[in-house]
Amino acid sequence: MEKIDGKILIGMLESGSSNLNNHKKDVDALNVFPVPDGDTGTNMSLTFTNGINEVRKNGSESLPVVAKTLSRGLLMGARGNSGVILSQIFRGFNQSVQGKEELTVADLSEAMLNGARLAYKAVMRPVEGTILTVIRESSDNAAAFVEANHECSIEEYMSCLTAEAEKSLAGTPELLPVLKEAHVVDSGGSGLLKIFEGFKAALDGKPFVESAKIETVREVKSEKASGYRTEYILEMNDAGMKSFNEDRIRKNLDRLGNKITLLIEDRIIKLRINTMMPGEILTMGQRYGEFKKVQVENIQDDLKPSIIIEEKPKKAEEKEYGIIATAAGAGIEKLFREYRTDVVVSGGQTMNPSTKDFCNAIAEVNARHIYILPNNSNIIMAAKQAADVTSGKDIIVLETRSIPQGLSACISFNPDASVDENTAQMKDAIANVRTGQVTYAIKDTTVDGREIHEGDYMGLFEKDIIVTSRDKLEASRALIDEMMDEDSEIVTLIRGKDATEEECTELEEYIRNNYEADVDVQDGGQPVYSFIIGVE
């Protein structure tokens, strides 16, 4: 094949998306840290699915239109750092192919090279041994192949690109010691390879399709959590209305979870389900349209809190300042609202919000200056991308990497101060917070020379695992001891879903008995982390 047109490109994209979706759990499992938040595959799958859905909805087979529609869909659907980088790769691809109804091998090669260039530009401090390395090395080496073989076919180019991506991925542990120690390759690079494999399969006439096999829920050894309450409100698009089959959906939902509430009203789907696979549920729903609200909560068998989905408030008159924060857990959301936050975007470790989620939040806040507090390092890029695509408002993304940092920033905000004064004060507050988190290991691994076993409780100080124990409170006390120093004045202790009031009280008394610091205890209700600890 000498050229590809829009129809062929759509086939490649569909195959790539299917292959990624079929293997997203394998990609998730490559997470270096053994915490229950390995979501790179899910993030990339949801991001790419959003792009494909937009292409389907548009219906055009014009190559420039397909590329532009895909790019926009990926941009708005981007979740997590991996999803944002993926969206930038295809943004660069789109820029390169505009005005071309067909692509030659040279055109395709240049488009992938431009995708790599834009992906690197999107990251302030690029790290080698990641998806960035895989896209750069594979596109560079495939371009060199084209230069040396001017008569090569599209199929030969894609075979080379895929082989070079596989080779680059295999080399990521040599560039990132943490990957080598954990005996894994980079998860983002693995997701990209799945897309390329799908492209190649389509060109070879054997495109991948989404697996019809729904995995049964496996018994979870850990007794700390029994799954995730997953809710969404979704508006079906025209294509979704045509393909939607309620009986088939209910059958698949029955195999994925329990305690199911499914309501269909015209174009609106409302779902609530308890499941071990929230990503699977969301991916299945996203095929039919656009999410209006998504909420994922970690649950326990003996805790059955009700969730109320609220109508969006009417837009108020324009004001000087607005604040948007990301949070998971009813108690933490309530805290942010008490501290002047206008919109709380649901999300955290187990489900990163998309660029569009932030754009929707921005649209709700009628203010001249809007602060966004991502409160998670894997959410910052999506927040910044939302700020970049928003016009007419002054959007300031403060790089909060934890809930305590976000809360401290809110507390230091002064509605009567200038933008410069507020930004400086909030940044100072963020820098003055140390964050610790207690969670449990979902697999056996080694991190920084520390041997970790499934079921161990881990104390994380900022990004580092500094203590492990089979006992939750022992790990929590050891973490606090590492965090505290003679200048520590305030400790914020936020209780998660899997921590009891008695455990929280015992930990509070430990702090009061051993340190001269004020202790503020909050019931956060957050998933994943038994305790979130902020020290100032």
Side-chain angles (χ1 to χ4, degrees):
M1 186 185 302
E2 295 182 358
K3 296 180 180 181
I4 62 171
D5 57 17
K7 186 175 182 179
I8 294 173
L9 178 60
I10 291 173
M12 293 167 62
L13 296 172
E14 293 276 9
S15 179
S17 177
S18 294
N19 194 40
L20 173 61
N21 188 52
N22 291 342
H23 292 90
K24 63 180 179 289
K25 292 178 184 176
D26 298 329
V27 178
D28 283 343
L30 294 173
N31 188 33
V32 171
F33 288 100
V35 296
D37 66 349
D39 52 7
T40 299
T42 299
N43 279 339
M44 294 182 75
S45 178
L46 288 171
T47 299
F48 211 78
T49 298
N50 195 70
I52 286 293
N53 284 343
E54 291 301 312
V55 171
R56 292 172 184 151
K57 185 165 59 175
N58 182 278
S60 174
E61 292 185 350
S62 166
L63 192 144
V65 174
V66 171
K68 186 174 183 179
T69 305
L70 176 76
S71 176
R72 180 67 179 177
L74 292 177
L75 182 79
M76 299 306 291
R79 298 175 185 271
N81 295 339
S82 56
V84 173
I85 292 172
L86 185 64
S87 74
Q88 291 299 314
I89 290 172
F90 285 93
R91 178 178 171 226
F93 182 97
N94 169 57
Q95 287 181 353
S96 185
V97 305
Q98 285 306 301
K100 300 173 183 176
E101 288 295 338
E102 293 183 320
L103 300 183
T104 64
V105 171
D107 293 332
L108 185 57
S109 176
E110 177 54 37
M112 296 310 303
L113 286 170
N114 199 49
R117 285 192 286 266
L118 258 68
Y120 267 84
K121 287 182 180 179
V123 181
M124 186 172 295
R125 289 179 290 274
V127 176
E128 296 300 338
T130 65
I131 183 176
L132 293 173
T133 303
V134 176
I135 183 60
R136 176 178 58 79
E137 291 186 342
S138 61
S139 59
D140 281 349
N141 292 335
F145 171 78
V146 172
E147 186 65 27
N149 300 272
H150 293 290
E151 302 301 320
C152 71
S153 66
I154 294 284
E155 292 91 338
E156 288 171 330
Y157 167 79
M158 189 52 63
S159 292
C160 178
L161 181 71
T162 303
E164 291 296 336
E166 187 173 12
K167 179 181 176 182
S168 179
L169 179 65
T172 55
E174 299 303 319
L175 297 173
L176 271 181
V178 67
L179 296 176
K180 190 171 186 177
E181 184 180 34
H183 304 292
V184 296
V185 293
D186 177 65
S187 54
S190 178
L192 182 64
L193 175 60
K194 295 304 176 187
I195 293 173
F196 287 171
E197 288 174 345
F199 288 1
K200 178 180 180 298
L203 291 172
D204 291 341
K206 300 176 182 179
F208 291 108
V209 295
E210 281 196 32
S211 175
K213 179 182 177 182
I214 304 296
E215 294 186 19
T216 40
V217 179
R218 291 179 297 174
E219 181 181 354
V220 179
K221 294 181 180 179
S222 171
E223 298 179 355
K224 302 170 183 64
S226 61
Y228 301 88
R229 178 177 291 106
T230 303
E231 294 191 18
Y232 66 67
I233 299 176
L234 180 143
E235 182 176 354
M236 288 188 281
N237 53 37
D238 291 340
M241 289 284 289
K242 291 179 182 178
S243 63
F244 184 79
N245 182 303
E246 185 175 346
D247 290 338
R248 184 175 66 240
I249 292 296
R250 287 188 181 277
K251 184 177 179 180
N252 286 337
L253 290 174
D254 284 337
R255 299 170 73 177
L256 285 168
N258 55 36
K259 298 182 180 178
I260 302 166
T261 301
L262 177 66
L263 301 174
I264 298 98
E265 302 170 359
D266 296 326
R267 287 178 171 266
I268 303 299
I269 300 175
K270 297 181 180 179
L271 172 68
R272 178 189 296 178
I273 182 172
N274 289 1
T275 178
M276 289 303 300
M277 295 173 282
E280 192 83 30
I281 297 295
L282 295 176
T283 298
M284 185 169 64
Q286 197 172 24
R287 300 170 190 164
Y288 300 103
E290 178 182 303
F291 291 123
K292 297 301 180 184
K293 181 178 179 67
V294 173
Q295 184 164 328
V296 178
E297 289 190 297
N298 192 303
I299 57 174
Q300 297 183 77
D301 288 333
D302 59 342
L303 292 178
K304 302 180 178 65
S306 61
I307 301 175
I308 299 174
I309 299 176
E310 301 176 350
E311 296 293 330
K312 293 182 179 179
K314 294 181 179 179
K315 185 176 288 187
E317 293 183 6
E318 186 179 52
K319 58 182 180 178
E320 189 68 16
Y321 291 108
I323 299 177
I324 296 168
T326 304
I332 295 178
E333 288 190 21
K334 183 173 181 288
L335 269 178
F336 273 108
R337 294 189 188 282
E338 289 175 353
Y339 294 153
R340 301 191 185 92
T341 297
D342 297 273
V343 177
V344 178
V345 178
S346 295
Q349 289 297 86
T350 54
M351 179 51 62
N352 298 150
S354 68
T355 300
K356 188 167 185 178
D357 290 333
F358 283 112
C359 287
N360 290 340
I362 291 169
E364 285 189 41
V365 182
N366 194 14
R368 285 178 282 276
H369 310 286
I370 300 175
Y371 288 100
I372 299 182
L373 308 173
N375 302 330
N376 185 300
S377 60
N378 204 37
I379 297 175
I380 292 172
M381 289 184 71
K384 287 188 172 182
Q385 192 154 269
D388 289 340
V389 301
T390 301
S391 59
K393 293 184 179 181
D394 177 30
I395 312 296
I396 305 153
V397 179
L398 297 179
E399 295 189 13
T400 50
R401 288 172 161 77
S402 68
I403 293 298
Q405 285 187 346
L407 292 172
S408 185
C410 284
I411 293 170
S412 67
F413 169 76
N414 181 358
D416 297 321
S418 69
V419 175
D420 289 343
E421 289 171 336
N422 263 319
T423 301
Q425 289 171 5
M426 293 168 84
K427 284 184 175 179
D428 285 344
I430 292 167
N432 196 41
V433 176
R434 299 191 294 278
T435 300
Q437 299 175 104
V438 178
T439 187
Y440 59 93
I442 59 170
K443 63 181 180 180
D444 295 342
T445 189
T446 302
V447 178
D448 293 333
R450 183 186 300 275
E451 194 172 298
I452 300 170
H453 301 285
E454 180 182 352
D456 283 353
Y457 283 98
M458 301 176 294
L460 285 71
F461 188 3
E462 305 300 354
K463 291 185 176 182
D464 299 323
I465 300 173
I466 63 168
V467 61
T468 59
S469 172
R470 300 303 290 183
D471 182 83
K472 183 192 303 180
L473 288 181
E474 182 178 288
S476 301
R477 288 190 292 266
L479 173 62
I480 289 168
D481 290 341
E482 289 289 335
M483 295 177 66
M484 299 294 287
D485 60 27
E486 58 184 15
D487 296 322
S488 301
E489 297 177 350
I490 302 172
V491 178
T492 302
L493 181 62
I494 305 174
R495 179 167 70 92
K497 275 185 175 294
D498 79 330
T500 66
E501 287 188 25
E502 291 75 17
E503 289 171 332
C504 191
T505 299
E506 187 173 336
L507 199 55
E508 177 187 1
E509 291 176 352
Y510 177 80
I511 299 169
R512 294 188 187 280
N513 291 337
N514 290 275
Y515 300 98
E516 294 182 2
D518 294 329
V519 184
D520 179 25
V521 179
Q522 299 289 343
D523 183 5
Q526 71 272 8
V528 181
Y529 296 104
S530 306
F531 295 105
I532 298 176
I533 305 161
V535 175
E536 301 177 58

